[in-house]
Amino acid sequence: MSDEPRRLKILYLCTGNSCRSQMADGWTRHLKNAEVEAYSAGCELRGVNPRAIQVMAEAGVDISQAKSKLIDEFADQEFDCVVMVCDYAAGCPPFAGMSKVVQVAFDNPVLFDEMDVTEEERLAVYRRVRDEIRDFVLTLPDSLGLDMP
């Protein structure tokens, strides 16, 4: 038996697993890897958003090799917590392996991709959401209120 403490196992869930859940996964691996084992998934596959990759790289976090995954891929796994990072993921089918669900919705920067705004205005929204997600991840695991062995 290992003397190392068990890491908290978290699944970040978002509708398309393209932006916010990928950012949360990336930040967790970057900032909290010793304490938290991070995964991300969605109800649909939309591919990882190129602007999310770009703004995370600006912050020193490489998510360029991340893949968009369906929640079904994790159906047989157990997680300490499922963190829904968008309002729409609540419409995903129930996840049998979860012991606690936490809703921490962040604005969806992808909505700005089709708006009549400049690229810099789009990226400003991605950067703001990236930073908000980072600030949330920095509060882990305490902010989840889990009793860990």
Side-chain angles (χ1 to χ4, degrees):
M1 181 151 182
S2 173
D3 290 337
E4 291 183 30
R6 185 175 78 81
R7 292 190 302 164
L8 180 72
K9 194 170 176 183
I10 294 178
L11 175 68
Y12 293 105
L13 185 59
C14 193
T15 305
N17 192 220
S18 68
C19 187
R20 292 165 289 179
S21 54
Q22 293 288 352
M23 287 183 183
D25 188 336
W27 273 125
T28 303
R29 291 170 189 271
H30 185 74
L31 297 170
K32 296 287 186 166
N33 199 47
E35 301 166 78
V36 180
E37 187 177 345
Y39 299 86
S40 66
C43 306
E44 306 168 4
L45 289 181
R46 295 191 184 156
V48 182
N49 184 287
R51 288 184 182 97
I53 293 170
Q54 177 183 341
V55 300
M56 289 296 285
E58 292 172 1
V61 181
D62 182 6
I63 63 168
S64 64
Q65 300 305 306
K67 303 288 183 229
S68 191
K69 297 166 289 304
L70 285 173
I71 190 172
D72 298 347
E73 293 181 40
F74 300 100
D76 62 346
Q77 293 190 40
E78 290 187 22
F79 293 91
D80 296 297
C81 189
V82 174
V83 179
M84 293 203 235
V85 294
C86 72
D87 294 328
Y88 304 113
C92 286
F95 190 74
M98 66 184 145
S99 60
K100 181 172 184 172
V101 178
V102 175
Q103 179 83 37
V104 187
F106 297 97
D107 289 340
N108 187 359
V110 175
L111 296 176
F112 287 79
D113 288 354
E114 302 303 319
M115 290 185 167
D116 188 20
V117 296
T118 67
E119 182 64 12
E120 192 52 41
E121 289 170 318
R122 281 185 195 98
L123 289 173
V125 175
Y126 277 84
R127 291 178 184 118
R128 176 181 56 81
V129 172
R130 172 201 66 200
D131 294 346
E132 290 171 356
I133 292 171
R134 177 201 60 218
D135 292 347
F136 167 73
V137 167
L138 285 169
T139 71
L140 297 176
D142 298 337
S143 63
L144 298 176
L146 298 172
D147 295 324
M148 293 298 296

